[in-house]
Amino acid sequence: MAGFCSCKTRLPTFHGGHTVNHDVLMSRVSRKVHDKRLLKLIGRYLRSGVTIEGNVYPTRVGMPQGGPLSPLLSNVVLDELDKELEYRGHCFARLFCKRV
């Protein structure tokens, strides 16, 4: 575990995974999850679509927000970034804020 550090480096804001590629995300999830049924369920969750004014539109990228899986899947996406920043000796903190 890295020690406490103080730094002024700002990372770009992660906007909840609106442009996350489903194939890349599922590849990363499948590195740790080997249950095919669970992988299929997560894939269906990603492709569930979005409802706008009563019409359902397919989703090809991005993650549904506000559900129980969105923080977990966001961590999967950001894990490689965290590891790279640690490898390079950067100190950082991820902050997730809920907009009201």
Side-chain angles (χ1 to χ4, degrees):
M1 180 99 187
F4 176 79
C5 65
S6 174
C7 61
K8 298 179 190 237
T9 304
R10 273 184 60 92
L11 295 176
T13 304
F14 178 68
H15 294 285
H18 300 299
T19 59
V20 171
N21 181 294
H22 292 170
D23 293 332
V24 172
L25 177 57
M26 289 304 297
S27 173
R28 291 182 184 172
V29 170
S30 68
R31 293 177 192 167
K32 299 286 183 180
V33 176
H34 303 289
D35 184 331
K36 299 290 184 191
R37 294 173 301 163
L38 183 55
L39 291 170
K40 185 176 179 179
L41 183 62
I42 294 170
R44 289 178 64 193
Y45 173 79
L46 291 173
R47 295 184 304 277
S48 63
V50 62
T51 302
I52 301 172
E53 296 180 6
N55 298 314
V56 178
Y57 298 93
T59 50
R60 293 181 182 86
V61 295
M63 296 183 295
Q65 297 300 298
L69 280 183
S70 59
L72 176 69
L73 295 176
S74 295
N75 283 334
V76 169
V77 170
L78 293 171
D79 185 57
E80 286 188 30
L81 173 63
D82 290 350
K83 289 177 181 175
E84 183 63 26
L85 291 173
E86 286 175 0
Y87 174 77
R88 293 181 183 198
H90 296 285
C91 62
F92 61 95
R94 271 199 260 146
L95 300 174
F96 291 92
C97 300
K98 199 174 223 179
R99 294 183 189 204
V100 180

